[in-house]
Amino acid sequence: MSRDELSDLLEEQQSLHAELKARGGKLDITRGKPSPRQLDLSRELLSITVPVHAADGQDVRNYGGAKGLPEIRAIFADLLGVDVDHILAADNSSLSIMHDLLSYAMLHRIHGATEPWGRQEIKFIAPVPGYDRHFAICEHLGIEMVPVEMGEHGPDMDEVEALAADPSVKGMWVVPMYANPDGVIYDEETARRLVSMPAAPDFRIWWDNAYALHHLTDAQPRPLPILQMAQQAGHPDRVFEFASTSKITFAGDGVAFLASSTGNLDWYLSHAGIRSIGPDKVNQLRHATYLKDAEGVRALMRRHRELLAPKFAIVEKILGNRLGGTGVARWTHPSGGYFVTLDVLDGTASRVVALAKEAGIALTPAGASHPLHRDPHDRTIRLAPSFPSEGELAAAMDGVATCVLVAAAEKLLG
Amino acid sequence: MSRDELSDLLEEQQSLHAELKARGGKLDITRGKPSPRQLDLSRELLSITVPVHAADGQDVRNYGGAKGLPEIRAIFADLLGVDVDHILAADNSSLSIMHDLLSYAMLHRIHGATEPWGRQEIKFIAPVPGYDRHFAICEHLGIEMVPVEMGEHGPDMDEVEALAADPSVKGMWVVPMYANPDGVIYDEETARRLVSMPAAPDFRIWWDNAYALHHLTDAQPRPLPILQMAQQAGHPDRVFEFASTSKITFAGDGVAFLASSTGNLDWYLSHAGIRSIGPDKVNQLRHATYLKDAEGVRALMRRHRELLAPKFAIVEKILGNRLGGTGVARWTHPSGGYFVTLDVLDGTASRVVALAKEAGIALTPAGASHPLHRDPHDRTIRLAPSFPSEGELAAAMDGVATCVLVAAAEKLLG
């Protein structure tokens, strides 16, 4: 494009942007929240009758049962492909379990550690782009994060292996399926290298399988048997695996899970048992009664897909129509999960988010997908299509495309 | 009693003890758990329909709302006599909030602190006898506890004031109403001195009002307005107040509360918001729908009293009949709460617990009511009458009385 053509484009897009501002709309595609229609799928949970006793005879209304009810653990053991003895059911947030494990490791000695992590300078490997709430835990605890660029099947493993060889590197964040935000699926070879690579004896991977069942297409890979792989590689304690019902039933009102080696689970419980007398077993039994079994969960996830897939198609279509072939943006085409990652012209992501804000469209802040909110290229924007209605989403995506073009033309015109 | 009379008594009680052993019973009065009949009072909670939206319009099935739903906060603000802005509703365990506050203060800087508590040698004041799970948190975190003897209306305040003057003393455990385990009610003068005394700027009181509504008689004192008292004394941030529905509805499946100054609540939320995306609002609304208002809670507590008071009467009657006038035991006569404290002849509490175990009666371990499980006099035993049926409780108390007499006679005979 010549400068004149660019100027024309800028003018045209600026006028579209001005229209948006004038319209004074209010659209929000910041967070991966289920929509009300998705939540309605599990409406039965709001009134289902919960039995007094669990299958093992315990009264779910009383204290105790730190490891959670066998029946809800069995469902997720099946779904994740782990042994039921290696999974525990907790309260309403897997993020809390992730936080607590890190917090316990800071204050106490995780096995393999010579002293609590809080008394050392430690580092975490942070594949980028990644999940802002993972990074926030490390930032909050003052743990340095070393970013590693994501590739097609996971992060650059040569770099990860080189970093893990440093004994001060103690942890790594992983979203192995439909990664937040780029939708990447870790392949078996990446996983094998992760569990096999030499690392500090107290090195752990936070394997957050938040989207393991959240398919958008018929290609529905099974979760990798990461605990067995770690065991076979001679590092049985390397992985903490997480899941929850937050994007299956209700968000923040469900059941979260931790799967790991017996040693790791015992270590977690030795601390969690000081913190609390046990999880909310009534809610665990409510969920087990409602979901019934692994197939019950899979059937529910098919209904989520029916609601979500058309929204991802809208994003794809509008970005394609408005930005395809321009060379100023590329985006992911996820086959599952909750996000589309939009990479815009280097140096313009913050400007796009600011322009969108002026136009009444709330986007996740630029940089959110990077440690300390620092995207060195200022190019990555996370789009969350799940919550708005299809009409709102289409309007928002059209607006975003306009902002991308305005910012790009501004930048290219210098 | 002469040695001969003592020998006769020992022989007689030993034969009763042998009978108990032969009977091979199994009784448990270790923990303050509600009985199944108490839990049945709230059976409606297992099937009640929860509305989709809270009074403020938010969808309770989705993420967010860190401070908890206004309607459930309003009920407990009313019950505790605090402003609704000064109370937040969390998940299923007030113990967890207590733990997390301490854990956050260890890792981060609570306001008034010059550095995180984890980087200092700090101490807590621990009135004894006290609650074993409070002490376990400090023990687990390596925090030294300084025991102070309880009197009729709270701990020895001269001693507490002297200890609090030490800048390394950062916290204190308090169960202000129907204290666990001795049933003491802190009086207004004690409370006034606690909030007024000079102490480190980061000194905090963990004011655990777990039994504020758990009356056993018609004398039903209102919870002290401790937050207002602290504010008036010029120490608005001194107190963290806790409550929960665990011994109101279901134990471990309800809603927990933190009441404090705005500064303290904001500080808590600045950390809790990293740990989780918000509490289980469905369960909060379920509880608000079921309990309705403060009077709904009070009415429910009257029904608990109907079930609990006869059990406390059984303890009183059997201990009176079997041990009254012997001079080898004294016990509390609580007007609320969940426990009776039985003080036996110095140096015999462990022996009584061991004898009871032989007889098939599980008691809370001797020393449990003291920091690090060390009762310097080996005399305090906590009795928890709530869980067993009246028949089981009577059998257990009779057995305990036998064990107390055996241990005392053994001791006195040298």
Side-chain angles (χ1 to χ4, degrees):
Chain A
M1 256 190 203
S2 68
R3 279 193 74 84
D4 281 355
E5 284 167 328
L6 265 177
S7 289
D8 289 350
L9 175 79
L10 179 57
E11 205 172 310
E12 173 193 280
Q13 297 300 321
Q14 278 173 332
S15 106
L16 288 174
H17 186 254
E19 276 174 38
L20 285 174
K21 286 206 309 200
R23 211 180 296 157
K26 202 160 177 283
L27 299 162
D28 189 332
I29 49 171
T30 53
R31 305 288 336 169
K33 290 165 70 171
S35 68
R37 285 186 63 198
Q38 288 178 269
L39 298 167
D40 284 344
L41 295 176
S42 295
R43 201 149 190 157
E44 191 184 336
L45 258 188
L46 292 175
S47 57
I48 196 171
T49 297
V50 185
V52 167
H53 296 102
D56 65 1
Q58 68 179 306
D59 187 332
V60 295
R61 306 166 304 175
N62 223 325
Y63 289 119
K67 209 170 169 181
L69 293 189
E71 44 265 70
I72 192 74
R73 288 163 47 211
I75 297 174
F76 276 78
D78 191 346
L79 290 165
L80 295 174
V82 305
D83 190 290
V84 71
D85 290 335
H86 288 169
I87 190 167
L88 61 79
D91 288 318
N92 61 323
S93 162
S94 56
L95 190 70
S96 296
I97 309 177
M98 297 176 216
H99 169 279
D100 287 354
L101 282 165
L102 197 37
S103 168
Y104 298 151
M106 293 293 283
L107 288 166
H108 308 279
R109 218 164 41 76
I110 198 171
H111 47 281
T114 50
E115 55 180 349
W117 288 357
R119 299 210 193 126
Q120 311 169 48
E121 291 293 319
I122 69 160
K123 293 178 200 145
F124 262 53
I125 300 169
V128 291
Y131 178 31
D132 55 351
R133 291 191 194 270
H134 287 166
F135 300 161
I137 295 175
C138 276
E139 181 181 357
H140 200 66
L141 290 167
I143 296 170
E144 184 186 338
M145 287 168 276
V146 188
V148 176
E149 287 288 329
M150 286 289 278
E152 214 179 327
H153 305 294
D156 179 331
M157 278 306 300
D158 291 341
E159 209 180 324
V160 169
E161 285 169 348
L163 286 167
D166 172 353
S168 76
V169 170
K170 300 298 191 189
M172 176 172 177
W173 294 108
V174 170
V175 182
M177 278 183 73
Y178 309 131
N180 178 348
D182 55 13
V184 164
I185 302 167
Y186 280 54
D187 67 4
E188 200 165 335
E189 172 61 10
T190 303
R192 200 193 52 70
R193 288 176 71 176
L194 283 172
V195 295
S196 306
M197 66 189 182
D202 51 342
F203 175 84
R204 296 288 187 281
I205 295 171
W206 269 248
W207 185 267
D208 182 4
N209 234 331
Y211 309 102
L213 311 164
H214 303 56
H215 313 293
L216 289 168
T217 74
D218 289 336
Q220 310 203 341
R222 303 229 2 146
L224 289 170
I226 192 71
L227 297 186
Q228 291 94 311
M229 291 172 78
Q231 166 106 41
Q232 280 154 17
H235 300 124
D237 297 330
R238 177 155 294 181
V239 180
F240 296 130
E241 181 171 17
F242 308 91
S244 92
T245 65
S246 271
K247 290 182 186 83
I248 295 173
T249 58
F250 297 152
D253 308 310
V255 182
F257 301 90
L258 168 64
S260 198
S261 66
T262 304
N264 280 344
L265 293 185
D266 287 349
W267 181 80
Y268 171 78
L269 288 171
S270 74
H271 301 293
I274 297 292
R275 183 179 180 272
S276 146
I277 314 181
D280 181 347
K281 297 186 300 300
V282 170
N283 202 34
Q284 293 184 353
L285 189 53
R286 182 179 293 112
H287 274 74
T289 304
Y290 167 63
L291 295 170
K292 292 189 182 71
D293 52 25
E295 181 45 33
V297 176
R298 289 195 196 98
L300 179 54
M301 295 316 293
R302 286 192 287 273
R303 301 193 64 192
H304 280 289
R305 176 184 163 188
E306 285 168 18
L307 296 170
L308 282 171
K311 294 188 177 173
F312 280 81
I314 287 168
V315 174
E316 177 66 37
K317 185 176 160 204
I318 295 178
L319 293 182
N321 287 348
R322 298 282 318 274
L323 303 175
T326 61
V328 299
R330 58 177 185 200
W331 54 94
T332 56
H333 316 281
S335 52
Y338 263 63
F339 303 101
V340 171
T341 296
L342 173 65
D343 279 349
V344 296
L345 203 62
D346 278 19
T348 67
S350 313
R351 177 66 181 149
V352 170
V353 172
L355 286 166
K357 192 179 176 187
E358 291 174 15
I361 303 165
L363 292 176
T364 311
S369 301
H370 286 70
L372 312 183
H373 324 279
R374 287 179 204 143
D375 173 359
H377 307 290
D378 188 24
R379 75 171 163 220
T380 300
I381 295 172
R382 184 182 81 167
L383 305 175
S386 57
F387 189 77
S389 70
E390 294 184 14
E392 289 166 338
L393 178 64
M397 290 317 304
D398 197 58
V400 168
T402 300
C403 298
V404 170
L405 292 171
V406 169
E410 286 174 348
K411 173 90 177 179
L412 292 170
L413 286 165
Chain B
M1 257 191 203
S2 67
R3 280 192 74 84
D4 282 354
E5 285 169 326
L6 265 178
S7 289
D8 288 349
L9 174 79
L10 179 56
E11 205 172 313
E12 174 194 278
Q13 297 300 321
Q14 278 174 330
S15 106
L16 288 173
H17 186 254
E19 275 174 38
L20 285 174
K21 285 205 310 200
R23 212 179 297 156
K26 202 158 177 290
L27 299 162
D28 188 334
I29 49 171
T30 52
R31 304 287 338 167
K33 290 165 72 171
S35 68
R37 285 185 65 198
Q38 288 178 269
L39 298 168
D40 284 344
L41 296 176
S42 295
R43 200 149 191 157
E44 191 184 337
L45 258 188
L46 292 175
S47 57
I48 196 171
T49 297
V50 185
V52 166
H53 296 102
D56 64 0
Q58 68 179 305
D59 187 332
V60 294
R61 306 166 303 175
N62 224 324
Y63 290 118
K67 210 170 169 181
L69 293 188
E71 44 264 71
I72 191 74
R73 288 163 47 211
I75 297 175
F76 276 78
D78 191 347
L79 291 166
L80 295 175
V82 305
D83 190 290
V84 71
D85 290 335
H86 287 168
I87 189 167
L88 61 80
D91 289 317
N92 62 323
S93 162
S94 57
L95 190 69
S96 295
I97 308 177
M98 299 177 214
H99 169 279
D100 288 354
L101 282 165
L102 197 37
S103 169
Y104 298 151
M106 294 292 283
L107 289 166
H108 309 279
R109 217 165 41 76
I110 198 169
H111 48 280
T114 50
E115 55 179 351
W117 289 357
R119 298 209 194 126
Q120 312 170 47
E121 292 293 318
I122 69 160
K123 294 178 199 144
F124 262 54
I125 299 170
V128 290
Y131 179 31
D132 55 352
R133 291 190 193 269
H134 287 166
F135 299 163
I137 294 175
C138 277
E139 182 182 356
H140 200 67
L141 290 168
I143 296 170
E144 186 186 336
M145 288 168 275
V146 189
V148 176
E149 287 288 329
M150 286 289 279
E152 214 178 328
H153 305 294
D156 180 329
M157 278 307 299
D158 292 341
E159 210 180 325
V160 168
E161 285 169 348
L163 286 167
D166 172 353
S168 75
V169 169
K170 299 298 189 190
M172 176 172 177
W173 293 107
V174 169
V175 183
M177 277 184 72
Y178 310 132
N180 177 350
D182 57 12
V184 164
I185 303 166
Y186 280 54
D187 67 3
E188 201 165 336
E189 173 61 10
T190 302
R192 202 194 49 72
R193 289 176 71 177
L194 283 172
V195 295
S196 307
M197 66 189 182
D202 51 343
F203 174 84
R204 296 289 187 280
I205 296 171
W206 269 247
W207 185 267
D208 181 4
N209 234 332
Y211 309 102
L213 311 164
H214 302 57
H215 312 293
L216 290 168
T217 73
D218 288 337
Q220 311 203 342
R222 303 235 352 152
L224 290 169
I226 193 70
L227 298 186
Q228 292 94 312
M229 291 172 76
Q231 165 105 42
Q232 281 155 17
H235 300 124
D237 297 328
R238 177 154 295 181
V239 180
F240 296 130
E241 180 170 18
F242 308 92
S244 92
T245 64
S246 271
K247 291 182 185 84
I248 296 174
T249 58
F250 298 152
D253 308 309
V255 182
F257 301 89
L258 168 64
S260 199
S261 65
T262 304
N264 280 342
L265 293 185
D266 287 349
W267 181 82
Y268 170 78
L269 288 171
S270 74
H271 301 293
I274 296 293
R275 183 179 179 271
S276 145
I277 313 180
D280 181 346
K281 296 186 300 299
V282 170
N283 202 35
Q284 293 183 355
L285 189 53
R286 183 179 291 113
H287 274 74
T289 304
Y290 167 64
L291 295 169
K292 292 187 182 73
D293 53 24
E295 181 46 34
V297 176
R298 289 195 196 99
L300 179 54
M301 296 315 293
R302 287 192 285 274
R303 302 193 62 193
H304 280 289
R305 175 182 164 189
E306 285 168 18
L307 296 170
L308 282 172
K311 293 187 179 175
F312 280 82
I314 287 168
V315 173
E316 177 65 38
K317 185 175 159 202
I318 295 178
L319 293 182
N321 287 348
R322 296 284 316 276
L323 302 175
T326 61
V328 299
R330 59 176 184 203
W331 54 94
T332 55
H333 317 281
S335 52
Y338 263 64
F339 302 102
V340 172
T341 296
L342 173 66
D343 278 348
V344 295
L345 202 62
D346 278 20
T348 67
S350 312
R351 177 67 180 149
V352 170
V353 172
L355 285 165
K357 190 179 177 190
E358 291 174 14
I361 303 164
L363 292 175
T364 311
S369 301
H370 286 69
L372 312 183
H373 325 277
R374 288 178 204 143
D375 174 0
H377 307 290
D378 188 25
R379 77 173 162 219
T380 299
I381 295 172
R382 184 182 82 166
L383 304 175
S386 57
F387 189 77
S389 70
E390 294 185 13
E392 288 167 338
L393 178 64
M397 290 317 303
D398 196 59
V400 168
T402 299
C403 297
V404 170
L405 291 172
V406 169
E410 286 173 348
K411 172 90 177 179
L412 292 170
L413 284 166

